[in-house]
Amino acid sequence: MIAQGAPSSVWNQWHVTDGPRYPHSKVIQFCLRNFKAADRPNIMALDLGCGNGVNSLFLLHEGFKVKGIDFAEMGVEKARKASSKAGFQAEFEVARIDQNFFEGQKFDLIISIGVLDCAGLEASMTSISNMSKVLRDGGRGLFLFASDLDFRLTLKTDLSINGYSSEEVKQIFEGKFVEVNYDRYITTYENGKSQQNEWLITVKN
């Protein structure tokens, strides 16, 4: 199910009234398992679709260097304020994930949580193609987004969540990185009556 993503005005309002307050557990697990504490000050991380910066702030607290982008101005503003208040220096920019403005930049870590399912297939394909070029040799990436089996697709919302099939996910990622792992992160509710069914894609160059 591929729909047109919601405009930035909708996401700006969401960041004013809602938005996550804590980093995603999968970001915590993935980053702490794959990057030793002693190495993190030299690790450059990209938070692709950083929103209000909750995952970026976690990375900063753990010693990573961070750059974040998001097309919602309000999200980026909140990320900047939160990092500055915590005493960190990080770079946050307003931009679409499919913009190719990373020329000359390289990252050791790329995370993208709940972003591709809001961007649509075409933008996701362009973005991941760009990401494959800016991920350093030996670098790792984590991408978490809704599958076509996710219950949130049936909810009436202005956020226009997309759910991706197996074929669409392979269309986005296949051949882009040295290693791609196609996994799922599934949470069931009410004795399995509904499920939050997400793609958990990890990559390495």
Side-chain angles (χ1 to χ4, degrees), residues 6 97 168:
I97 67 166
E168 288 162 341

Side-chain angles (χ1 to χ4, degrees), residues 44-56:
M44 188 68 216
L46 172 65
D47 190 351
L48 185 69
C50 63
N52 62 14
V54 291
N55 293 307
S56 290

Side-chain angles (χ1 to χ4, degrees), residues 173-182 201-204:
F173 285 93
E174 197 163 34
K176 302 298 193 307
F177 302 91
V178 173
E179 179 183 317
V180 182
N181 300 298
Y182 300 91
I201 307 299
T202 55
V203 305
K204 184 178 180 180

Side-chain angles (χ1 to χ4, degrees), residues 5 18 20 22 30 40 44 46 53 66 68 72-73 89-90 96 102 104 106 131 137 162 179 184-185 198 200:
D18 209 336
Y22 306 102
F30 182 81
R40 292 172 199 160
M44 188 68 216
L46 172 65
V66 176
E73 295 90 343
Q89 290 187 338
R96 289 174 52 91
F102 295 106
K106 289 288 185 177
M131 292 304 98
D137 291 347
N162 305 291
E179 179 183 317
R184 302 254 188 169
Y185 180 46
E198 298 174 278
L200 177 63

Side-chain angles (χ1 to χ4, degrees), residues 98-196:
D98 55 346
Q99 283 183 248
N100 187 14
F101 60 89
F102 295 106
E103 187 173 353
Q105 300 183 66
K106 289 288 185 177
F107 300 93
D108 307 283
L109 168 64
I110 298 173
I111 63 168
S112 184
I113 308 301
V115 177
L116 300 188
D117 42 9
C118 301
L121 181 60
E122 185 176 347
S124 295
M125 289 182 64
T126 300
S127 176
I128 296 306
S129 180
N130 291 337
M131 292 304 98
S132 69
K133 299 170 185 174
V134 299
L135 185 65
R136 292 186 192 278
D137 291 347
R140 296 177 180 272
L142 169 68
F143 303 86
L144 186 70
F145 53 95
S147 82
D148 55 354
L149 301 177
D150 198 296
F151 84 99
R152 291 170 295 173
L153 303 181
T154 64
L155 300 179
K156 293 183 179 180
T157 173
D158 294 330
L159 298 181
S160 300
I161 301 297
N162 305 291
Y164 293 93
S165 67
S166 298
E167 293 76 14
E168 288 162 341
V169 172
K170 287 189 176 182
Q171 190 176 357
I172 295 171
F173 285 93
E174 197 163 34
K176 302 298 193 307
F177 302 91
V178 173
E179 179 183 317
V180 182
N181 300 298
Y182 300 91
D183 294 297
R184 302 254 188 169
Y185 180 46
I186 301 172
T187 306
T188 61
Y189 303 97
E190 299 178 344
N191 293 314
K193 185 177 179 180
S194 60
Q195 62 176 274
Q196 188 167 333

Side-chain angles (χ1 to χ4, degrees), residues 11-24 47-58 60 66 68-86 90-93 111 113-115:
W11 288 105
N12 280 325
Q13 181 60 35
W14 184 72
H15 284 299
V16 170
T17 60
D18 209 336
R21 297 175 58 191
Y22 306 102
H24 198 286
D47 190 351
L48 185 69
C50 63
N52 62 14
V54 291
N55 293 307
S56 290
L57 200 60
F58 161 74
L60 289 165
V66 176
I69 68 163
D70 200 282
F71 85 144
E73 295 90 343
M74 187 57 67
V76 170
E77 181 180 340
K78 292 180 76 172
R80 287 172 177 161
K81 287 182 177 178
S83 63
S84 178
K85 183 178 180 180
E91 185 179 354
F92 294 100
E93 295 185 14
I111 63 168
I113 308 301
V115 177

